[in-house]
Amino acid sequence: MTTTLDGASPGDLAIVTRGLRKTYRSVTGRRSVAVQGLDLDVPLGGVHGFLGPNGSGKTTSIRMLLGLIHADAGTMNVLGHEIPRQLPAVIKRVGAIVEQPKFFPTISARRNLEILAKGIGAPERAVAQVLEDVGLTDRGKDLFKTYSLGMKQRLAIAATLLKDPDLLIFDEPTNGLDPAGIHEIRETMRSLGASGKTVLVSSHILSEVEHVADTVTIIGRGRTLAQGRVKDLLDAQATTTVRVGVADPDGAERVLREGGMTVVRDGALLNVTGVDDPAEITRRLAHHEHYVSELVAQRAGLEAFFLELTAGEGPGTAAGVPLPSHAAGHHAASPTDGAPQPPQGPPANPYGRPTSTEGGEA
Ligand SMILES: Nc1ncnc2c1ncn2[C@@H]1O[C@H](COP(=O)(O)OP(=O)(O)OP(=O)(O)O)[C@@H](O)[C@H]1O
């Protein structure tokens, strides 16, 4: 199924892929489809989350977009240029962190950037600017080896900014960081998106996308499951749980069940689903002389939506799941190969790693 960002015209999009496909072949000759018909629409400006379980094809897709590996089929367009044919014309406008960049540990962060700037032909004045962009101006003189992991990652982002790119692509940029480091990177991504750049950030961490991204593409098994504005995807969720506190939870539970609602007990509290309007709960309980002391409607988060969408979409599964009718979307390079595989049962852990990652391009 194809989902595209609602109302977006090609001129509004930083990245467009259609039917993108990549198969890997393992050393034993086994083929596995890493990306199977990915449709990706990334709007210009802002942060776009590229969300999927481990092994769902995010890195492979990004590598194809950056011309690091070949696609088997499909089309890619980055900033209006056909990839890979017109890659040389656009690559200067793209900054990416796909693997950890190497810095010299015993020289300062600033000096590292100066060396890099010289190497890529960026003006020297860009160094001060990018240090400021990632909030490292005050620590620029410090040796790289004294940096925390979060600061190292921010320096990596600063390096991608030297060319003043329009499009930034970060593959799992917060991996391995502690909460403070994650916070730093999120802030940096948000401010880059707010400054008008397009940031594509891949993640298997739902809260990352929920907190940072304006729009999101959710993938499973190398295919687009849903795309859209994060807010729209959340707003469209039907499942609302209402948390209810009453003096007599047993009696209230009975009354609500008789009314066709689903009730799950949480100690003295009741978690109620299966009701369109929470007011219906208070009405029904009051009618039976149960008076509500607490009532909180809790919308399921992106996490619940993601788990619902990707159920049965663990590595290797070809089965699809229905998309929400509103689903729309948008944005992203060493992989292997494969042919379509028959649907398999849902994995015990939707975030489980694939059992085999060996292989090369088919
Ligand atoms: N070089 C390779 N050779 C063979 N198979 C590969 C290779 N690279 C990736 N794969 C397989 O392709 C599938 C997609 O992997 P990919 O790394 O693109 O997913 P991902 O969504 O980025 O996962 P993660 O979040 O774990 O990084 C996986 O099943 C993976 O094992």
Side-chain angles (χ1 to χ4, degrees), residues 159-318:
T160 68
L161 296 174
L162 283 171
K163 293 183 295 179
D164 193 21
D166 298 310
L167 170 64
L168 291 152
I169 300 179
F170 301 139
D171 192 15
E172 306 261 7
T174 57
N175 262 3
L177 300 185
D178 63 14
I182 291 172
H183 181 73
E184 291 171 12
I185 299 303
R186 283 182 181 170
E187 287 299 308
T188 303
M189 288 191 292
R190 264 199 288 260
S191 78
L192 289 170
S195 75
K197 293 190 186 297
T198 303
V199 181
L200 173 67
V201 53
S202 82
S203 182
H204 63 280
I205 303 169
L206 311 160
S207 58
E208 186 126 300
V209 167
E210 197 168 356
H211 292 123
V212 170
D214 308 296
T215 52
V216 63
T217 298
I218 300 176
I219 71 166
R221 279 288 173 186
R223 288 174 309 132
T224 312
L225 299 177
Q227 297 194 89
R229 279 167 280 273
V230 172
K231 186 179 173 305
D232 291 349
L233 290 176
L234 288 172
D235 285 350
Q237 285 177 72
T239 317
T240 297
T241 300
V242 184
R243 200 169 165 78
V244 181
V246 282
D248 171 14
D250 292 334
E253 179 177 350
R254 219 170 15 252
V255 165
L256 294 176
R257 284 188 190 281
E258 283 165 10
M261 300 175 198
T262 304
V263 183
V264 176
R265 285 288 289 273
D266 178 6
L269 292 167
L270 310 176
N271 287 318
V272 185
T273 52
V275 56
D276 292 336
D277 179 6
E280 175 60 24
I281 296 173
T282 36
R283 266 197 299 273
R284 186 165 180 82
L285 288 176
H287 185 69
H288 292 83
E289 300 194 345
H290 292 283
Y291 297 101
V292 169
S293 57
E294 176 186 344
L295 185 129
V296 184
Q298 299 172 317
R299 191 183 52 188
L302 188 59
E303 176 155 359
F305 179 60
F306 176 65
L307 288 173
E308 189 186 325
L309 269 183
T310 56
E313 293 280 334
T317 306

Side-chain angles (χ1 to χ4, degrees), residues 24-26 32-35 52-61 63 171-172 204 219 221 315 334-337 353-354 356-360:
Y24 290 110
R25 195 192 304 274
S26 75
S32 70
V33 183
V35 175
N54 287 134
S56 55
K58 302 179 299 291
T59 300
T60 300
S61 303
R63 288 183 162 152
D171 192 15
E172 306 261 7
H204 63 280
I219 71 166
R221 279 288 173 186
S334 351
T336 51
D337 127 68
R353 287 214 157 251
S356 165
T357 54
E358 308 167 55

Side-chain angles (χ1 to χ4, degrees), residues 44-81:
L44 273 170
V47 181
H48 185 85
F50 191 31
L51 180 64
N54 287 134
S56 55
K58 302 179 299 291
T59 300
T60 300
S61 303
I62 286 173
R63 288 183 162 152
M64 287 190 279
L65 282 164
L66 295 172
L68 300 176
I69 56 171
H70 294 293
D72 298 336
T75 60
M76 294 179 279
N77 189 291
V78 172
L79 298 172
H81 292 77

